């Protein structure tokens, strides 16, 4: 999972790109980077950093950029280790100049593509999906195609999930494209008569842009001084009935204050999606308890939904104040995650002691965070701890950009319900939302379809 941003034509394009990428730092801590095309040198300058901090853009190398087209990226390492060579924006050197990309997602047919580009004398040494995408585009540029058409041809070969922005040394233009199933998010905004491309609407809010629409699944777009040119045959243009938006975006990744825009002009925040999942969970697995306790922060909306439906007060007795660690799930090292989870959560003990509590988190993937929380709730004196998860068991690995390829890390993969309960510290009960209930709630927000492969094994690609 990564976050992307791209824009063209604004006076302060570098500043906007920096502000635009910052709200999605939750999508990746592995690296941050910017690329800006300098109109004088006719070259795209790329600066990027691994293990970045909040004031990363104060570094001189970021301040000295200028130009008219910019892309930005935050990376969560999925394919390839946390290594400066895997940081994005990535580039491929073509005969015309460099192709520079920021992409979100994973390509599933890397070996096949490696063979394809090798027939054109192009070698890809890394495991980086973004580099492979640009290599395939270069392969088609070599055949004499314009960049826009080379991207369209690339899309006939690359399989998997990708939402990407791209630019090149030889023209001042921003390209945006998305896989046919629309697995990873990608939206378009409007600011000062110019367009911006982003992963989430919270980025548009940050730069002051108006939401325009999603980049359609399958669409290729070119944004330059002439405005927007685009493919007319994107999946949505043809009537997409089989799109597969990642349901983990709904339950976890996307920020609660980011919005989905639905047919008929309706809007729904991800917070609302999670609230409805919590309500459905309460209908399926009610329990007699004194308190509903959300796991901050991504468990809060579902806990509130559960509490509202069950008629139980929701008390925020797990706190993370003063420990701004962010999302422990996206830390890559197991020991680091365990340490951070332990440090991150503290309990308001006097409001827990003697109470039976229902604790609600967004999902249970490796179970580490919940194990820490169950122990701390019992240590705080809870008489009962009922764990409720507003998503089905996460059983199958993701190949489309979420770091769960290692099956053995998935707590629900090979364990019975009882073994899972024991593995997270023996709470009084553990219940997941049913797959049918999950799909039914999501269908209200994604009428064209959702990917639920990590829950039901039905891989769309
Ligand atoms: Fe999202 Fe799971 Fe599908 Fe991966 S497999 S895209 S995490 S729903």
């Amino acid at each position: 999972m990564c976050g992307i941003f791209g824009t063209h034509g604004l006076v302060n394009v570098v500043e906007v790109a920096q502000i635009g990428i910052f709200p999605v730092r939750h999508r990746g801590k592995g690296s941050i980077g910017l690329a800006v095309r300098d109109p004088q040198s006719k070259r795209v300058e790329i600066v990027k950093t691994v293990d970045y901090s909040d004031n990363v853009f104060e570094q001189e190398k970021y301040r000295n950029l200028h130009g008219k087209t910019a892309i930005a990226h935050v990376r969560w390492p999925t394919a390839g280790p946390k290594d400066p060579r895997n940081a994005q924006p990535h580039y491929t050197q073509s005969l015309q100049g460099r192709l520079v990309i920021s992409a979100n997602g994973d390509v599933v047919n890397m070996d096949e593509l490696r063979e394809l580009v090798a027939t054109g004398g192009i070698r890809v040494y890394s495991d980086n999906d973004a580099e492979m995408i640009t290599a395939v585009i270069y392969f088609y540029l070599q055949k004499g195609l314009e960049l826009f058409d080379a991207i369209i041809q690339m899309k006939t070969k690359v399989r998997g999930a990708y939402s990407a922005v791209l630019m090149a040394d030889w023209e001042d233009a921003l390209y945006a494209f998305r896989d046919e199933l629309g697995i990873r998010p990608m939206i378009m905004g409007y600011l000062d008569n110019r367009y911006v491309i982003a992963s989430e609407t919270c980025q548009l809010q940050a730069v002051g842009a108006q939401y325009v629409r999603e980049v359609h699944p399958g669409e290729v777009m070119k944004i330059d001084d002439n405005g927007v040119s685009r493919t007319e045959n994107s999946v949505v243009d043809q009537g997409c009935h089989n799109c597969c938006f990642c349901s983990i975006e709904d339950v976890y990744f996307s920020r609660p204050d980011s919005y989905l825009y639905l047919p008929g002009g309706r809007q729904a925040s991800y917070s609302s999606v999670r609230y409805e999942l919590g309500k459905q969970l309460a209908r399926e697995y009610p329990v007699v308890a004194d308190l509903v306790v959300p796991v901050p922060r991504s468990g809060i909306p579902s806990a509130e939904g559960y509490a509202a439906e069950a008629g139980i007060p929701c008390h925020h007795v797990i706190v993370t104040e003063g420990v701004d660690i962010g999302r422990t799930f996206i830390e890559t090292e197991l020991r680091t995650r365990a340490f951070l989870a332990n440090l991150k959560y503290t309990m308001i003990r006097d409001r827990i002691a003697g109470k039976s509590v229902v604790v609600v988190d967004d999902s249970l993937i490796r179970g580490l965070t919940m194990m820490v929380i169950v122990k701390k709730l019992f240590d705080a004196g809870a008489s009962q701890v009922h764990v409720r998860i507003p998503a089905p068991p996460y059983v199958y690995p993701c190949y489309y950009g979420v770091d769960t390829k290692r099956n053995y890390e998935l707590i629900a993969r090979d364990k019975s319900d009882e073994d899972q309960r024991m593995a997270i510290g023996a709470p009084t009960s553990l219940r997941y939302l049913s797959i049918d209930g999950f799909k039914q709630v999501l269908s209200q927000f994604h009428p064209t379809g959702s990917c639920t492969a990590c829950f039901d094994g039905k891989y769309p690609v």
Side-chain angles (χ1 to χ4, degrees), residues 104-323:
N104 177 20
D106 268 7
V107 172
V108 299
N109 59 334
M110 290 286 278
D111 292 342
E112 198 183 303
L113 296 173
R114 219 180 287 276
E115 283 177 23
L116 173 78
V117 299
T119 63
I122 303 167
R123 293 210 165 176
V124 176
Y125 296 97
S126 78
D127 291 327
N128 194 292
D129 311 85
E131 187 179 356
M132 182 58 83
I133 290 171
T134 50
V136 179
I137 294 170
Y138 178 28
F139 177 79
Y140 286 108
L141 286 174
Q142 281 186 338
K143 296 188 179 300
L145 297 183
E146 295 292 325
L147 183 47
F148 191 86
D149 294 324
I151 294 171
I152 293 172
Q153 285 307 310
M154 173 278 295
K155 291 169 75 7
T156 65
K157 299 293 181 191
V158 172
R159 295 171 60 227
Y162 53 86
S163 292
V165 282
L166 178 136
M167 56 203 289
D169 276 344
W170 61 89
E171 61 177 332
D172 234 331
L174 172 71
Y175 291 83
F177 49 93
R178 193 174 178 200
D179 68 80
E180 263 55 25
L181 295 175
I183 294 173
R184 295 274 146 244
M186 195 176 201
I187 53 165
M188 186 180 186
Y190 195 61
L191 172 66
D192 295 340
N193 300 320
R194 300 289 180 171
Y195 292 98
V196 300
I197 301 290
S199 296
E200 295 189 31
T201 63
C202 61
Q203 295 169 273
L204 303 186
Q205 260 185 313
V207 299
Q210 297 296 313
Y211 176 85
V212 176
R213 65 171 174 83
E214 268 194 74
V215 175
H216 293 163
E219 189 170 18
V220 179
M221 211 179 250
K222 177 182 180 182
I223 301 170
D224 61 11
D225 287 349
N226 299 317
V228 180
S229 346
R230 56 179 290 266
T231 45
E232 298 293 332
N233 62 343
S234 68
V235 173
V236 166
D237 292 340
Q238 296 165 13
C240 176
H241 303 295
N242 198 22
C243 291
C244 285
F245 188 75
C246 171
S247 55
I248 292 289
E249 293 281 350
D250 291 300
V251 300
Y252 179 74
F253 285 141
S254 290
R255 270 180 41 165
D257 56 337
S258 282
Y259 277 79
L260 291 161
Y261 287 76
L262 308 170
R266 286 187 301 140
Q267 299 177 21
S269 65
Y270 285 95
S271 177
S272 296
V273 179
R274 292 163 196 168
Y275 187 86
E276 292 303 320
L277 288 167
K279 283 172 67 179
Q280 178 67 20
L281 182 63
R283 288 191 284 270
E284 291 186 11
Y285 295 107
V287 64
V288 176
D290 299 313
L291 304 178
V292 173
V293 174
V295 176
R297 286 178 288 249
S298 44
I300 292 172
S302 294
E304 290 174 346
Y306 189 101
E309 188 69 17
I312 302 171
C314 182
H315 288 195
H316 296 253
V317 294
I318 303 177
V319 294
T320 55
E321 265 83 0
V323 191

Side-chain angles (χ1 to χ4, degrees), residues 183-184 246-248 394 398 400 402 451 453-454:
I183 294 173
R184 295 274 146 244
C246 171
S247 55
I248 292 289
Y394 197 117
C398 174
Y400 313 136
V402 176
C451 175
C454 47

Side-chain angles (χ1 to χ4, degrees), residues 396-410:
Y396 300 94
C398 174
Y399 300 101
Y400 313 136
V402 176
D403 183 24
T404 54
K405 291 199 188 83
R406 290 158 294 191
N407 280 1
Y408 61 86
E409 287 192 347
L410 304 176

